[in-house]
Amino acid sequence: MVDRPRYESPVERAIREAQERGEFDDLPGAGKPLRLEYPDDPMWWVRQLAEREDLDFTGALPPAVALRKEAATFPGSLLELRTEESVRTVLEDFNRRVRRDRLRPPDPRMPPLLAPTVDVDDVVEQWRALRASSQPVQVDPPVTTGEARPRRRWWRRRH
């Protein structure tokens, strides 16, 4: 029986030649088992990659889960909004997106999951209370006529 030459891909050949030159000798961790932070998780490498690269996978979540996560941040995520009208606009937009998500046909591979709408008035009240407790009361100091400096007009300022 004649032995046929075994096909060796360029990658396999490069690895074999590097092994013969000893380039893989004395590498750190050689002969030691891999350290797995998630030993029972088949997606451990994805979690490790996400942590190492600081990746955000919220865009890959099913819409109902993403909406539930967003609702869990209310009213704290609304603190940067200055007016009650803008808070109401954000919350009404959220409720509109929840209703639109409910109209989508369910994915047969996923369990049925619905995101709840939020009570706009209730969240606005929570926002008001949170905003009032997080902002210090600003009191203007009293100004007497003798201490007040005359304001200079912006066009007359010279350096």
Side-chain angles (χ1 to χ4, degrees):
M1 182 191 256
V2 178
D3 286 331
R4 290 186 179 175
R6 187 173 83 74
Y7 173 74
E8 185 177 43
S9 73
V11 172
E12 290 171 339
R13 186 179 69 235
I15 292 172
R16 182 184 48 77
E17 290 172 355
Q19 283 175 333
E20 290 171 359
R21 289 191 302 268
E23 293 182 15
F24 295 126
D25 297 343
D26 300 325
L27 289 176
K32 297 179 184 173
L34 292 176
R35 182 178 58 95
L36 298 178
E37 294 179 25
Y38 309 100
D40 297 329
D41 187 3
M43 299 294 282
W44 65 269
W45 61 274
V46 175
R47 294 185 199 286
Q48 201 171 42
L49 174 72
E51 288 173 6
R52 183 178 64 239
E53 301 293 328
D54 195 26
L55 300 176
D56 182 20
F57 286 115
T58 54
L61 291 174
V65 175
L67 289 167
R68 282 175 171 247
K69 273 187 88 166
E70 183 179 349
T73 66
F74 295 150
S77 63
L78 304 171
L79 275 179
E80 68 271 0
L81 300 177
R82 295 184 178 263
T83 64
E84 182 179 320
E85 180 182 337
S86 60
V87 172
R88 286 184 182 278
T89 302
V90 168
L91 294 173
E92 288 165 1
D93 176 62
F94 174 79
N95 283 341
R96 208 174 7 260
R97 288 183 288 134
V98 167
R99 288 186 197 101
R100 188 176 339 128
D101 181 61
R102 290 179 181 176
L103 296 175
R104 287 183 323 108
D107 186 355
R109 297 170 292 161
M110 298 287 293
L113 184 64
L114 295 176
T117 57
V118 295
D119 182 359
V120 174
D121 294 327
D122 184 44
V123 177
V124 167
E125 285 300 319
Q126 292 174 19
W127 172 80
R128 275 191 208 128
L130 192 59
R131 189 168 168 92
S133 68
S134 67
Q135 292 183 347
V137 177
Q138 296 179 354
V139 178
D140 292 333
V143 177
T144 61
T145 56
E147 295 177 5
R149 288 185 1 191
R151 292 185 53 178
R152 296 182 71 187
R153 303 285 182 214
W154 65 269
W155 60 84
R156 290 190 183 177
R157 290 184 187 156
R158 298 262 180 195
H159 294 285

